[in-house]
């Protein structure tokens, strides 16, 4: 969920998605995803933190807020985490998946000594690697799933870089970048 209606950014007067309509659309989509993926791990992002940020600004304790799991209707088989660390069994390659890290994916890979996949990058999409003398490590910017055609990301139209929609699949420890139309 973008949660545009509760972001701190100025809202377009033409924006048709209210909190309620976005919430209902997302719940329908998540219901479909539950049938495909009864078990999965979701990574938190700045977007899922938007209502909680608003509550802090208003002085409302976190305990008074509905947990994110309930907002999206996540089943017990779904885990919601800040990050995910996986080891590819066939190669023993280790990967860290998270929304964003300071300095970007390659810098994080070098500092942490683990291949790193970031999912927040709006205008970056690709994989780069380096060898630390012991292991080949990857830094991956997996792109995003947004467009600046609608109102929520319209502020980006002032920027030169356009959003790049894409995803990354890791096969035997090697990232495969898949652009999405």
């Amino acid at each position: 969920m973008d949660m545009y209606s509760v972001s701190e950014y100025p809202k377009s007067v033409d924006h048709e998605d209210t909190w309620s309509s976005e919430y209902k659309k997302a719940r329908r989509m998540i219901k479909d995803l539950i049938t495909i993926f009864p078990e999965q791990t979701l990574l938190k992002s700045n977007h899922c933190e938007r209502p909680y940020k608003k509550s802090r600004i208003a002085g409302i304790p976190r305990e008074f807020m509905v947990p994110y799991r309930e907002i999206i209707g996540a089943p017990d088989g779904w885990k919601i985490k800040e990050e995910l660390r996986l080891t590819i069994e066939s190669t023993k390659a280790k990967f860290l998946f998270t929304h964003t890290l300071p300095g970007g994916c390659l810098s994080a890979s070098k500092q942490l000594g683990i291949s790193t996949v970031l999912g927040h990058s709006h205008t970056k999409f690709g994989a780069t690697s380096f060898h630390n003398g012991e292991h080949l490590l990857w830094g991956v910017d997996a792109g995003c799933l947004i467009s600046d055609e609608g109102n929520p990301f319209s502020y980006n139209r002032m920027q030169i870089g356009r959003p790049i929609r894409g995803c990354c699949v890791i096969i035997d420890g090697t990232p495969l970048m898949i652009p999405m139309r």
Side-chain angles (χ1 to χ4, degrees):
M1 291 175 64
D2 180 62
M3 299 200 191
Y4 171 74
S5 61
V6 294
S7 76
E8 73 262 21
Y9 299 106
K11 314 299 179 289
S12 167
V13 294
D14 300 326
H15 183 60
E16 49 295 322
D17 268 347
T18 63
W19 164 251
S20 179
S21 66
E22 182 184 12
Y23 171 76
K24 288 174 184 170
K25 278 187 212 174
R27 289 293 292 253
R28 283 192 303 271
M29 188 183 313
I30 288 168
K31 217 175 186 178
D32 291 342
L33 287 173
I34 292 168
T35 62
I36 301 167
F37 304 105
E39 293 184 12
Q40 72 168 312
T41 301
L42 300 179
L43 298 179
K44 290 184 179 179
S45 74
N46 56 312
H47 292 265
C48 60
E49 285 299 312
R50 283 178 170 176
Y52 306 111
K53 187 175 181 180
K54 282 276 193 180
S55 73
R56 287 192 303 276
I57 291 168
I60 300 169
R62 182 83 180 226
E63 295 81 13
F64 286 18
M65 299 293 292
V66 174
Y68 187 67
R69 169 178 293 290
E70 288 181 38
I71 290 174
I72 64 169
D76 291 339
W78 286 19
K79 296 179 185 104
I80 301 173
K81 298 181 173 188
E82 298 286 333
E83 65 179 39
L84 176 64
R85 292 175 185 253
L86 294 176
T87 300
I88 309 299
E89 287 305 316
S90 61
T91 63
K92 303 299 180 215
K94 296 179 186 220
F95 280 84
L96 165 67
F97 299 83
T98 190
H99 189 63
T100 190
L101 287 172
C105 61
L106 191 59
S107 174
S109 291
K110 288 178 179 179
Q111 289 179 34
L112 299 171
I114 185 173
S115 294
T116 305
V117 179
L118 303 181
H120 180 88
S121 305
H122 293 177
T123 58
K124 295 179 188 169
F125 178 68
T128 186
S129 62
F130 74 100
H131 201 285
N132 68 0
E134 208 172 305
H135 303 288
L136 177 66
L137 299 176
W138 294 93
V140 177
D141 282 303
C144 63
L145 298 175
I146 63 169
S147 164
D148 57 6
E149 294 167 10
N151 285 322
F153 199 56
S154 61
Y155 65 88
N156 188 65
R157 291 185 196 127
M158 302 295 287
Q159 308 299 319
I160 292 172
R162 308 279 30 105
I164 302 172
R165 291 186 228 172
C167 66
C168 173
V169 176
I170 298 172
I171 300 173
D172 292 330
T174 302
L176 172 64
M177 307 307 293
I178 303 171
M180 300 169 74
R181 308 266 181 251

